[in-house]
Amino acid sequence: MSAFDSFPLGQPAFVTHVLDRAAHLRGNDEKLFALESHRDARAYVIYRDSLVAKQEPDGPRVLLRIDEALKFGANPGTIFLGLRDGAPIFGMGIAAAAVEKLLTGQEAVVTELRGMAMQGVVPPEQLSAIAMAKSMVTWHQRHGFCANCGTRTAMKEGGWKRECPNCKAEHFPRTDPVVIMLVTSGDKCLLGRQKQFPAGMYSCLAGFVEAAETIEDAVRREIFEESGIRCTDVNYYMTQPWPYPSSLMIGCTARATSEDIVVDRAELEDARWFDRAEATLMIKRQHPDGLAGPHPFAIAHHLLGRWVHGEDNAGA
């Protein structure tokens, strides 16, 4: 099975849930300590946008025993992610110094998560739990001090809350909503590319939802700001958790009411209309000019693929 086959239409990365979050256990410190020492306890160790994996004959293993994670230098504080078939799963961070030491040996590797997922190295059914671990570890690393009084906060409830010992403020993980949309006009769709994209790649336009803004308004605003296109008939498709660092991609479709593109060069390198035949070749990686659509790892591929296969009639 190729990496492309790992994400069939409608199933991008990070959406296949295999964990019982078991939130009722988060407030029970005694139970959590017992779970952490359970023989079946496992952990994902996160370093920035990468995973620490143990080298084995058949390839890297990313789900580590707690003792393996600690041996590699992972921070002792664990984040309780939930239960998989009754076995406790945790997330753990690791310091840069420990990673540097790891890289001098042969027992472990530190590999970028996105690349591992896109290449099919990590089983798709593990990606949702990994996304949870990555988002939570990043949140703890970035929010160690109280936003109210500046005091160092403490991890509580299995890592799902930080509490200030001074002013008693409680701090919870945040998720940032992002709209990502395929805009169509008849038999054409609008795609754009950013400078950091791989050569020849075009994708759906996207942007953060602002304060006091509806999803529909965010779709219309972002499309107009980035491409100058006005649109209507906004419809919801599906969501994708996106742990970079912790967003929720809200997939939508919309119908254009204008076609004259005015690219915001601060946001996009290019934007253009593609007909259905050309978009099909881009998805198949068969475009004669080497143009390509987004990888099936991302929700943008599924928005485009759904339209290519005629399952979305927003542009009719």
Side-chain angles (χ1 to χ4, degrees), residues 88-102:
I89 307 296
F90 296 87
M92 301 175 74
I94 187 170
V99 169
E100 290 177 8
K101 184 177 179 181
L102 273 183

Side-chain angles (χ1 to χ4, degrees), residues 14 40 54 59 69 71 78 90 109 112 122 130 137 156 181-183 191 222 234 236 239 244 249 251 261 268 289 311:
F14 309 125
D40 293 328
K54 181 176 175 59
K71 177 184 176 183
T78 59
F90 296 87
V109 291
E112 200 268 334
V122 179
I130 293 171
V137 167
K156 299 289 183 180
M181 43 275 172
L182 184 71
V183 179
L191 300 174
E222 284 289 343
V234 176
Y236 166 79
T239 57
Y244 296 98
M249 309 300 291
I261 297 173
L268 299 174
D289 297 330
E311 296 179 24

Side-chain angles (χ1 to χ4, degrees), residues 16-22 25 35 38-44 61-64 80-90 122-130 132:
T16 303
H17 304 283
V18 295
L19 291 188
D20 171 6
R21 293 181 179 236
L25 298 175
L35 289 174
H38 193 282
R39 65 179 184 180
D40 293 328
R42 297 292 186 269
Y44 295 106
R61 172 169 55 84
V62 299
L63 193 54
L64 307 177
F80 177 62
L81 304 180
L83 304 172
R84 180 174 182 178
D85 298 326
I89 307 296
F90 296 87
V122 179
E125 63 270 14
Q126 292 194 43
L127 292 175
S128 177
I130 293 171
M132 196 190 316

Side-chain angles (χ1 to χ4, degrees), residues 56-255:
E56 296 194 330
D58 57 350
R61 172 169 55 84
V62 299
L63 193 54
L64 307 177
R65 298 193 312 269
I66 300 295
D67 64 304
E68 290 175 327
L70 292 173
K71 177 184 176 183
F72 289 159
N75 301 328
T78 59
I79 301 163
F80 177 62
L81 304 180
L83 304 172
R84 180 174 182 178
D85 298 326
I89 307 296
F90 296 87
M92 301 175 74
I94 187 170
V99 169
E100 290 177 8
K101 184 177 179 181
L102 273 183
L103 296 178
T104 64
Q106 303 295 320
E107 193 175 0
V109 291
V110 182
T111 307
E112 200 268 334
L113 169 59
R114 191 190 307 244
M116 294 180 78
M118 292 174 69
Q119 295 164 24
V121 176
V122 179
E125 63 270 14
Q126 292 194 43
L127 292 175
S128 177
I130 293 171
M132 196 190 316
K134 184 185 179 308
S135 292
M136 293 297 293
V137 167
T138 302
W139 177 70
H140 282 287
Q141 291 173 342
R142 293 185 174 188
H143 296 82
F145 295 87
C146 179
N148 186 49
C149 72
T151 302
R152 180 77 183 183
T153 55
M155 182 187 294
K156 299 289 183 180
E157 295 192 5
W160 288 87
K161 179 174 78 172
R162 295 193 70 91
E163 189 173 87
C164 178
N166 181 50
C167 71
K168 309 304 178 184
E170 297 178 325
H171 305 277
F172 298 91
R174 60 176 289 170
T175 296
D176 298 314
V178 178
V179 288
I180 181 165
M181 43 275 172
L182 184 71
V183 179
T184 58
S185 179
D187 201 44
K188 297 179 293 185
C189 69
L190 177 68
L191 300 174
R193 65 168 280 108
Q194 298 177 4
K195 291 181 180 179
Q196 67 267 28
F197 283 2
M201 175 184 156
Y202 281 75
S203 187
C204 298
L205 275 56
F208 287 98
V209 180
E210 295 186 345
E213 185 176 43
T214 67
I215 291 172
E216 294 83 356
D217 283 344
V219 168
R220 289 187 284 262
R221 174 183 56 78
E222 284 289 343
I223 290 295
F224 179 72
E225 287 178 357
E226 295 187 359
S227 69
I229 299 296
R230 297 287 188 183
C231 63
T232 187
D233 297 341
V234 176
N235 289 290
Y236 166 79
Y237 169 44
M238 69 177 297
T239 57
Q240 180 190 27
W242 192 250
Y244 296 98
S246 187
S247 298
L248 182 66
M249 309 300 291
I250 306 168
C252 296
T253 60
R255 180 174 61 85

